[in-house]
């Protein structure tokens, strides 16, 4: 996988982006830059309806591509899903979405790439194997390492079911102890299932495993 992870710096009308050299190596969480609404089709701000003139300039939101006045499109917010190097101008609505995604990139993805240890059961087997599970650096694969080695492409994952224990009628005092993951085998329609359970004898890693499972749940969304 590492051979295809090289990146290049490109400049677009929206700003500088650090993107994979090969499109096939792009992150499954990435977004393409939107086409900008042509200036001639945008005589007024698409939020407050203010007419553009020599004083009121138009600006394009880098996330949605629509036209706004400076007041409605003044925020510069990180947009990691489009690989921008610096924060870019976005409308208020898009800025809120991007801010939430930045937290996902800064926290959940880092947790997944750091990895956690689980007992993993493949299919209907009654045998489990202790494996370190992590997200690859290019965010494209779930990598499992133990006596065996698996690489599951994220886009092939169809369902993620988080397993919990300690359920109460009020929904409190629950904790994630594992997950059931289903994915398609490349080149076929066959669906394979894996079950992940945090080991009870690894008490020091319980919080790490729970955080990893929570991050995996967000990835599935």
């Amino acid at each position: 996988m590492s051979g295809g992870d090289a990146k290049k710096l490109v400049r677009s009308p929206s700003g500088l982006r650090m993107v994979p050299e090969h499109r096939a190596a792009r992150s499954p969480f990435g977004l393409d830059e939107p086409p900008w609404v042509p200036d001639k089709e945008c005589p007024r701000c698409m939020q407050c309806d203010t007419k553009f003139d020599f004083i009121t300039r138009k600006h394009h939101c880098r996330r949605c591509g629509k036209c706004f006045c400076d007041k409605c499109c003044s925020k510069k917010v990180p947009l990691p899903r489009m690989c921008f190097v610096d924060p870019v101008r976005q409308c208020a609505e898009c800025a809120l979405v991007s801010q939430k995604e930045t937290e996902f990139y800064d926290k959940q993805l880092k947790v997944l790439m750091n990895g956690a240890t689980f007992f993993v059961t493949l299919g209907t087997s009654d045998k489990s194997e202790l494996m370190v599970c992590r997200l690859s650096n290019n965010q494209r694969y779930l990598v499992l390492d133990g006596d065996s080695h698996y690489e599951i492409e994220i886009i092939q994952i169809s369902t993620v079911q988080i397993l919990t224990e300690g359920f109460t009628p009020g929904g409190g005092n629950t904790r994630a102890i594992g997950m059931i993951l289903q994915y398609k085998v490349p080149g076929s329609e066959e669906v394979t299932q894996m079950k992940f359970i945090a080991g009870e004898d690894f008490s020091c890693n319980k919080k790490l495993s729970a955080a990893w499972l929570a991050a995996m749940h967000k990835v599935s969304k």
Side-chain angles (χ1 to χ4, degrees):
M1 294 184 295
S2 59
D5 291 348
K7 295 186 177 182
K8 61 182 179 181
L9 192 64
V10 299
R11 181 180 291 277
S12 73
S14 299
L16 285 174
R17 301 169 65 219
M18 184 65 75
V19 301
E21 283 193 353
H22 305 288
R23 187 174 178 83
R26 63 180 297 180
S27 166
F29 307 111
L31 290 175
D32 289 327
E33 285 188 80
W36 283 10
V37 174
D39 287 350
K40 63 182 179 180
E41 296 179 12
C42 189
R44 295 177 177 273
C45 174
M46 300 179 77
Q47 177 65 41
C48 70
D49 206 37
T50 296
K51 186 176 181 180
F52 295 122
D53 53 28
F54 288 111
I55 297 175
T56 306
R57 297 180 56 195
K58 64 184 64 175
H59 301 279
H60 286 86
C61 172
R62 272 48 174 173
R63 187 182 181 102
C64 67
K66 295 179 181 178
C67 261
F68 302 92
C69 66
D70 183 69
K71 182 180 179 181
C72 294
C73 194
S74 61
K75 292 186 178 181
K76 289 192 174 182
V77 179
L79 186 44
R81 291 190 70 183
M82 290 186 191
C83 303
F84 283 110
V85 174
D86 300 308
V88 290
R89 188 184 293 270
Q90 297 176 58
C91 67
E93 184 178 346
C94 287
L96 286 175
V97 176
S98 294
Q99 285 168 345
K100 291 180 180 179
E101 290 177 350
T102 297
E103 181 181 349
F104 171 74
Y105 270 75
D106 288 344
K107 295 181 180 180
Q108 277 79 24
L109 280 187
K110 287 182 179 179
V111 167
L112 290 175
M113 287 190 281
N114 286 337
T117 303
F118 297 92
F119 285 101
V120 180
T121 306
L122 179 63
T124 57
S125 173
D126 57 357
K127 294 182 179 179
S128 61
E129 181 179 339
L130 187 64
M131 307 189 84
V132 175
C133 309
R134 65 178 179 84
L135 186 68
S136 64
N137 290 336
N138 61 14
Q139 303 165 5
R140 294 184 60 226
Y141 296 89
L142 186 61
V143 181
L144 289 74
D145 277 309
D147 290 336
S148 305
H149 176 82
Y150 298 97
E151 292 181 7
I152 303 171
E153 197 167 5
I154 293 296
I155 60 172
Q156 298 295 338
I157 295 175
S158 54
T159 60
V160 174
Q161 178 188 351
I162 302 299
L163 305 175
T164 60
E165 70 173 10
F167 178 77
T168 63
N173 300 320
T174 62
R175 68 183 183 95
I177 60 168
M179 71 176 179
I180 294 176
L181 180 150
Q182 292 183 324
Y183 64 96
K184 288 185 179 180
V185 177
S188 75
E189 292 300 313
E190 179 185 350
V191 175
T192 298
Q193 177 174 295
M194 277 188 172
K195 185 176 182 179
F196 299 68
I197 297 293
E200 288 300 318
D201 52 336
F202 292 93
S203 57
C204 62
N205 289 329
K206 282 184 179 179
K207 288 186 178 180
L208 178 63
S209 298
W212 195 93
L213 290 167
M216 194 66 195
H217 182 57
K218 290 212 170 188
V219 163
S220 69
K221 291 183 176 182

